[in-house]
Amino acid sequence: MMKQKAQKQLRVGLIAMSGVRACDRELLALGLTLPGFVERSETIASLPSLGLITLASLSPDWCEVSYHEVDQIDDWSLDEMDSFDVIAISTFTAQVKEAYVLCERLKNHGVQYVVMGGLHATSLPDEALQFCDSVIVGEGELVWKQMLVDARDRCLKSKYRASQPFDLADAPMPAYELLDIQRYNRLTVQTSRGCPFKCEFCASSILLTDKYKQKPMEKVLAEVDKICELWKRPFIEFADDNSFVNRGYWKKLLPELAKRKVKWFTETDLSVAWDDELLDLMRMSGCAEVLIGLESPSIDGLNGLETKGNWKAKQLGRYQEGITKIQSAGIRVNGCFILGLDGHDVGIFDRVLAFADKLELYDVQVTYLTPFPGTPLYSRLRREGRLLEENAWERCTLFDITYQPKGMSCEQLRAGFHQLVKELYSEENTSLRRDRFKHKYRQASRSRLRNVSHLKV
Ligand code: SF4
């Protein structure tokens, strides 16, 4: 879709690389037979790029901006791209080599400038510059306009990096109208950036912002309203690293959100479980599911996971109580586990299976520990000589092993992971998890009703 403005001096194309990637063919084949397995990754892969549509709305009037998504570069026609002055590409590490091929093709096709941004280009701008003309390092909002001015004046710089953090109070309304709404099953709104825990493996909370920061509530609600204009009763994904760090903010936001009658999903830590008022507000405002990084069923895996504090390890004894509280409020929990942490040995696969069952999670997600470039985990494993192959970015899919695990061999990790996937996502286990959730929620609702009628009497 196109954003047309008067007096065009620059045609700007925004390209988001989409789609799930995995190199392990056996696992891919398994994923096809076990639909629950890659569900979350597929959802992420089918979300629009919020970063790009935010930059779109910061483009001056003299730009004509369009948004495109590319899944398979070989299936994508470049025919319409030759008249573009600037193409900006946002990508994840697993697809970055495809993005580099695309950069070369676009240049050969006559595109004046190809610019890259996003987490991978931010951590390795010099690598990206071998393929594109310029890299936006870090948050793009403060440098986007300058980049476009320089492109118009034919004096593009090789790197654009903001000299100060971006204040979310200045965040523009993302250009949702550029999206072909039909192709999405949910749209994203960001309320915050960053996470105080700074886990060793977590790229997004570390690379883009130093501090946790929050968008003013009015802006968030205006974005939800804009989405509702385009799509009645939408499903919204809050694109936050960790939503409920500031609970006071959400307690003001959620009653307003409830008036919009949307359904929503977000990522959080377990602490929401300890706030009954927040849980009630979440349910009443349409929260369908939260994703929580539980990471490991054992203390060995959790110890030292965060670069600041050891919060998750301290919560382990309360995981079950917390999940029960959240799910009893009618909010599904997608519990995520990382396999291959330094404290894990070959017994971990059975422990995750048993733990997921004990917690009665509605959804479970398992991935390999993955050292993304720019993270403390990547630097440590590199220092320890444990990366299997330098620059094998195409393997940073979360479903391929890229490093030497500590407590087992790569083959043991791979075989255990495959077996775990088969068992966790079998039809029998999947229906058991879902039926149990419904049953427990009905029970909890009945007991809530009994309490209310008792109070009325
Ligand atoms: S808690 Fe989640 S969002 Fe926060 S740093 Fe860890 S992995 Fe990232």
Side-chain angles (χ1 to χ4, degrees), residues 15-66:
I15 295 184
M17 303 289 293
S18 57
V20 185
R21 301 289 187 273
C23 302
D24 184 337
R25 294 196 173 281
E26 203 181 308
L27 197 62
L28 270 176
L30 259 183
L32 294 177
T33 57
L34 302 165
F37 174 45
V38 286
E39 233 163 48
R40 178 67 194 142
S41 308
E42 276 176 347
T43 304
I44 293 175
S46 62
L47 291 173
S49 166
L50 188 60
L52 287 178
I53 58 171
T54 300
L55 295 180
S57 57
L58 288 169
S59 306
D61 281 351
W62 40 266
C63 295
E64 179 187 304
V65 184
S66 57

Side-chain angles (χ1 to χ4, degrees), residues 194-206 240-242 267-269 291-293 295 305-306 311-312 338:
C195 172
F197 296 121
K198 301 201 181 301
C199 296
E200 192 191 26
F201 55 83
C202 180
S204 61
S205 72
I206 289 173
D240 304 332
D241 295 311
N242 186 354
E267 303 191 10
T268 177
D269 60 61
L291 181 142
I292 301 182
E295 326 303 12
L305 213 63
E306 297 138 41
W311 189 82
K312 287 185 184 175
I338 298 175

Side-chain angles (χ1 to χ4, degrees), residues 155-208:
C155 59
L156 193 77
K157 297 184 189 66
S158 60
K159 286 181 198 163
Y160 290 84
R161 186 195 308 257
S163 55
Q164 66 203 65
F166 180 64
D167 185 344
L168 289 178
D170 299 327
M173 169 74 73
Y176 295 110
E177 70 279 4
L178 286 183
L179 302 173
D180 177 6
I181 298 284
Q182 317 299 331
R183 52 180 295 169
Y184 306 104
N185 58 18
R186 46 178 82 181
L187 290 179
T188 43
V189 171
Q190 192 172 51
T191 77
S192 63
R193 283 183 196 168
C195 172
F197 296 121
K198 301 201 181 301
C199 296
E200 192 191 26
F201 55 83
C202 180
S204 61
S205 72
I206 289 173
L207 289 173
L208 293 183

Side-chain angles (χ1 to χ4, degrees), residues 283 327-330 437-445 448:
R283 186 187 63 247
Q327 296 203 140
S328 300
F437 169 80
K438 285 179 207 145
H439 176 67
K440 288 278 169 79
Y441 176 53
R442 271 190 226 116
Q443 267 185 344
S445 302
R448 261 195 304 273

